[in-house]
Amino acid sequence: MAAAPATRSRSAALCRQLLLTLTILTFACDACKKVTLPVSSKLDAEKFIGRVNLKECFNSANLIYSSDPDFQILEDGSIYTTHTILLSSEKRNFTILLSNTENQEEKKIPVLLEHQTKVLKQSHSKEKVLKRAKRRWAPIPCSMVENCLGPFPLFLQQVQSDAAQNYTIHYSIRGPGVDLEPKGLFHINKYTGNLYCNGSVDREQYESFQIVAEANTPDGYSADNPLPLLIKIEDENDNSPIFTEEVYIFTVAENSRVGSIVGQVYATDKDEPDTLHTRLRYSILQQWPASPTLFSMHPTTGVITTTLSQLDRELIDKYQLKIKVQDMDGQYFGLQTTASCIIHIEDVNDNLPTFTRASYVTSVEENTVDVEILRVSVEDKDLINTSNWRANYTILKGNENGNFKIVTDPQTNEGVLCVVKPLNYEERKQLILQIGVVNEAPYTKEASSRTAMSVTTVTVNVEDQDEGPECSPPVQTVRIKENVPVQTKANGYKAYDPETRSSSGIRYKKISDPKGWVTVDENTGSITTFRSLDREAESINNGIYNVTILASDEDGRTCMGTLGIILEDVNDNGPLITKQTVIICKTVMSSAEIVAFDPDDLVNGPPFSFNLESVSDSDTQRMWRLRKINDTAARLFYENDPPFGPYTVPIRVTDKHGLSNITPLNVIVCDCVTEDDCTFRVDPRTGGGEVKLGKWAILAILLGIALLFCILFTLVCGAVGAAKKPKAFPEDLAQQNLIVSNTEAPGDDKMYSINGFTTHTVGSSGHGISGTMGSGVKIGGRETLEMVKGGQQTLGSCQRGGHHHTMELCQGGGQHTLDSCRGGHVEVDHCRGGHVEGDHCRGRHMEGDSCRGRHVEVDDCRYAYSEWRTFTQPRLCEKVQLCDQDNGHQHAQDYVLTYNYEGKGSVAGSVGCCSERQEEDGLEFLDHLEPKFRTLAEACIKK
């Protein structure tokens, strides 16, 4: 029993604790975390103070404003001052209000502004805080409310200078409101520095005044620098917001969805921006018609939207709204203005056109066209003369033959039914049409195909007319065999009366008979042959002969038809060869193809048989042979190699019923490649035509002629150049052609002088020219001659084909040496026609006349260069050393001077030791040559 009270007390304590928790949570939901921001004592206008996280407190807020008009709150939580603020105390509090106008939920964020000096003392208590020194001027931030009622003059503030403690100071002001427009608005007490306003000011006209205060001594001395002083006019909510238009006109489509934008209204307020005086709220005061409420307006943006999807233009096509705008964020004490808004409902195709009648009956006479027989009407509730109202009519059934069409009358929107193709009473006396209708614009509402189109039925009765004869069918046929006897009768063309379906009383007349083959009976329309009918005649297509007939009744009404006479074929034509001249190009083929044709019908035509027809005194069977290819063609072969020319080959072609024809086939055996080559020739081998050259053949002939002229021109130029060359016997012909030679038999071995430069010849008669040396060396069983003429030194070596060997001298230290003797360079290109050069290495280059190359013809070059060098080197080196010296071992004059002309007839030749002999004579040694060489010399002189 004692435990029960204890349990009840614990339960009560728990309940109190839960209630306290709920109270704390409720308070936490209504209020957000307090924000503290450090600031300086003076805050300039539009200065950034700090930023508050609004989303963390109230994420769905659509209205944000401050409880203190001195501060402005932006959507991102930034806090700015609206004008210059001087903190009189160390702290200042205001609240940021957050609200959701849709669910009327509100939250608050307390904001505390602390003077920065105190914050520094708290965070840096041990550090010395710097204090601003007192200014000599003491301007107090000054402001006044616009439209102030006085009393005037109204004291604003006192301006003081520290110099007033020691001097007599006179104060003065200048600037706008003093000596500038608006003049005389402000004045200052000259002795006390008290600043006064003399009248009220409209902030919308003057937001502030920037005046300049001066402190001067009585003698005009400036005690302090001029002090700019700002007098700010504080705003008063003295201007109502004004709509940009007195009447707004918008349009919205009927059946629009909920939330569709109708339009947006705008208003302006001349009061100070970004304050409660200019924070506007829009609302709808009244709607006509009042019920149901179809529109709403966003309070801050002024956007009008639909609240229901029941807009129906066919019921109400226009709505009118009275709208209001109010400042002070819509608070009851704010100023407000109203305007009107007219909303027109735009038509859409939400009503289908419907026929006024479910069925129609009309009639039309037969054989009439392009006539209106009926008008059908529809009803449509959509806007008249729009695509939602205009109708499109369609014939759904009953117009399979295309007799009718229906169009829309643009004025009445009716459907006009017309006949465009004549009707026949005898064929159909009544037609039933099904007509449907839709609008030009597509239907907007969802509908099945069964209900999306209105349908009506039209019954058309065809009225009978008294018609003339009817030619039906317009083309009739009759069969007649060709070649029937004249005056053969056959059925003709038949016309009839459409009412009685009888042909009595109808007259017939022939209008067209191209060949005049038939006559027409006037009463019955039957035909009689007037001439023999030929199926194979010209202008007969597919064996049908057409005759045009005119039928008329007793009233003169007529119709026209065509009688097609089908000519049945008779086998009266034998097969013929279509191409009676063939060409056989003998070089490329041995046969020609022949094709036969039978003008008769296929039943009297192929297969054909081909045979050679024998003729007396003819060898056709011996020369030609036929081989069948198919039912209508065969191939003709020649035999026994007939000569070129034309031939006539008679060929009999027989159809399958035995009727035949003999065709003399002209065969041309031609020497050609294609048949076109043989068409225009006159050669008896081809038997025909005239010569015709192609463009390529003409071009080839012209090119050949041009090439021939080029060859002739080259030959003529060569002959003229050869004729101009001198034919004189060259001076050194003996050395070039005769001196260096090989004997055909071994000569006598002779010793040569090493020290002497002149010796006797070997293998010769022993007579020579003074100053001429010939030395013979036997190498490999053959003898080589070396000769020096008049101080000229000629080396016979490996020479062939007109090339020569030269040796160049080297001067150094007053001596002439061969490079081969002093380490010089010797080049030998090749044994056959090579070029040997001696080049100097230590002195200046010199090429002596005696060392000039000679063209020497030699038989061969089988000796080695080393053997030639072994023979010539020691002797030439010894002689060349003395080449430029006389007996006194002095330089010869001709070594460094130009050779002088020494006159004619000098037996000794040039005095130069190395000069070249240039005499034109001196060929007496030719008289003492051996017989074989003498014969060769004579042959050379004759040239």
Side-chain angles (χ1 to χ4, degrees), residues 119 136 175 746:
V119 176
R136 299 185 65 189

Side-chain angles (χ1 to χ4, degrees), residues 476 489-496 502-510 519-528 549-552 563:
Q476 301 177 14
K489 292 184 178 182
N491 295 329
Y493 193 88
K494 290 293 183 181
Y496 61 93
S502 172
S503 297
S504 60
I506 296 177
R507 300 288 184 264
Y508 300 92
K509 181 180 178 181
K510 182 176 68 172
T519 60
V520 178
D521 187 274
E522 182 181 6
N523 297 319
T524 62
S526 62
I527 60 173
T528 303
I549 305 296
L550 179 68
S552 61
L563 177 63

Side-chain angles (χ1 to χ4, degrees), residues 274-285:
D274 301 323
T275 64
L276 283 175
H277 299 162
T278 56
R279 187 164 295 167
L280 308 180
R281 289 286 174 172
Y282 300 92
S283 61
I284 298 176
L285 297 179

